[in-house]
Amino acid sequence: MNHFPCLTIIVVLPIFAGCLIFFLPHRGNRVIRWYTICISILELLLTTYAFCYHFQSDDPLIQLMEDYKWIHFFDFHWRLGIDGLSIGPILLTGFITTLATLAAWPVTRDSRLFYFLMLAMYSGQIGLFSSRDLLLFFLMWELELIPVYLLVSMWGGKKRLYSATKFILYTAGGSVFLLMGVLGLGLYGSTEATLNFEILANRSYPVNFEIIFYIGFFLAFAVKLPIIPLHTWLPDTHGEAHYSTCMLLAGILLKMGAYGLVRINMELFPHAHSIFSPWLMIVGAMQIIYAASTSLGQRNLKKRIAYSSVSHMGFIIIGISSITDMGLNGALLQIISHGFIGAALFFLAGTTYDRIRLVYLDEMGGIAIPMPKIFTMFSSFSMASFALPGMSGFVAELIVFFGLITSPKYLLMTKLLIIFVMAIGMILTPIYLLSMLRQMFYGYKIFNGLNSSFFDSGPRELFLSISIFLPVLGIGMYPDFVLSLSVEKVGVILSNYFYR
């Protein structure tokens, strides 16, 4: 297995197969749809196979390592490898992207380009999660931007150009800091430039240097995992994008920021992280409350769900800044859990829009009578989103709570204050979600106004929702599925923090 380039194939296959879309015969969209879905499923099977048979979850080191010299001039390698930290996001990417290609069936305009961009995003995401070279990490981070920009600006809603431009300005602005950080780290303190993660992680830096670089990388990741005040691109982009794009944005793109925070900021700069983590903790707690209360004031359905996902990212920030075993594991579990729940909520919002063509909540009402299945699924995922016990959101937030309580770094008063703020956020979450359900599904407004019969969800939508609901339920009942992957690696990362 060592000489078989498994990861390279997994990373390159989607974008290579996507290029072949343009050579398919143009007989309607059916060929292109089925081709894309088959490629996604093939990719998912390949990743699952590689991880089932060649990945040992009890080994914290890098596995399936591949290293090819790419550019001799400045020692740039195509270096891939996975560990317990990246395997969860990679499987999540495969799962959500496959379902998002299935969700994109109603797209008929320029469908070749649409599916090609979906597959290109697929490659970029998996490449980002498995890259072991800083410059390769940056390249994959950038490969993500162009497809999202095109997907929003070509298949979006009315204000699509505005929101796509806003998205690319924010994320490209963040990427400038990322590039400066990558180059500075590679060129720092040695005659020979190196971008290898392994070498960089074992170096020790002076604290001032660490702080400067920590801030740079943090700004880049704070735009992606939107941390207030850098979050304003997210509601706009989500409100305008087609819902299959929304699934990818909410399910995977936001998780890239969290992954970068753990992978670069925690692994490479432990001193700076322990200096900054109290501030991060405060920001996370503020974010939970702020986004939840903002979400309550949104009239637009998709924007309300978008603010709810900003609010859920606050738990990830708190878990990362608690610097405990439990907190970090809870944050990684919340990454996976919100990837499923957020994608499902956006998908259901989009299918509802396809049926009734209304965006604003105060115009809706009484949808539950003509569409009982959509009502059931929407309610279930809203319950999962406000952390109903038995669903994955509950487990993740509970573990983050425990990680915060057991953290030796903070005083008792600080912990109580943060927990109080988190509790207010957890009360606000059901308020906005249940009021959303009430405005959409209860009452008689639409039912009386238009005597038309709406189609309830078809087999495709039902299949999609159930296949996202099963992992949410499974992780909620047995979270060890996900935790067993990352627990060794988390121990290794945190061992850097007990030098004092």
Short mmCIF file of all heavy atoms in Angstrom, two decimals, residues 116 244 253 354 476:
data_model
loop_
_atom_site.label_atom_id
_atom_site.label_comp_id
_atom_site.label_asym_id
_atom_site.label_seq_id
_atom_site.Cartn_x
_atom_site.Cartn_y
_atom_site.Cartn_z
N PHE A 116 -19.14 20.54 -13.00
CA PHE A 116 -17.67 20.60 -13.00
C PHE A 116 -17.18 21.38 -11.78
O PHE A 116 -16.23 20.96 -11.11
CB PHE A 116 -17.16 21.27 -14.28
CG PHE A 116 -15.72 21.65 -14.20
CD1 PHE A 116 -14.74 20.68 -14.18
CD2 PHE A 116 -15.34 22.98 -14.12
CE1 PHE A 116 -13.40 21.02 -14.09
CE2 PHE A 116 -14.01 23.33 -14.03
CZ PHE A 116 -13.04 22.35 -14.01
N SER A 244 -27.88 23.59 -3.26
CA SER A 244 -26.82 22.58 -3.26
C SER A 244 -25.47 23.23 -2.94
O SER A 244 -24.63 22.63 -2.26
CB SER A 244 -26.76 21.86 -4.60
OG SER A 244 -26.61 22.79 -5.62
N LEU A 253 -17.27 24.10 3.86
CA LEU A 253 -16.41 25.29 3.76
C LEU A 253 -16.15 25.90 5.13
O LEU A 253 -15.04 26.31 5.44
CB LEU A 253 -17.08 26.31 2.85
CG LEU A 253 -16.09 26.97 1.92
CD1 LEU A 253 -15.74 25.99 0.83
CD2 LEU A 253 -16.66 28.22 1.33
N ASP A 354 -38.38 25.81 -3.62
CA ASP A 354 -38.76 25.31 -4.95
C ASP A 354 -40.25 25.05 -5.04
O ASP A 354 -40.84 25.19 -6.11
CB ASP A 354 -38.00 24.01 -5.26
CG ASP A 354 -36.62 24.28 -5.80
OD1 ASP A 354 -36.32 25.47 -6.03
OD2 ASP A 354 -35.85 23.33 -5.99
N GLY A 476 -25.40 10.70 17.60
CA GLY A 476 -26.03 11.04 18.87
C GLY A 476 -26.13 9.85 19.80
O GLY A 476 -25.95 9.97 21.01
#
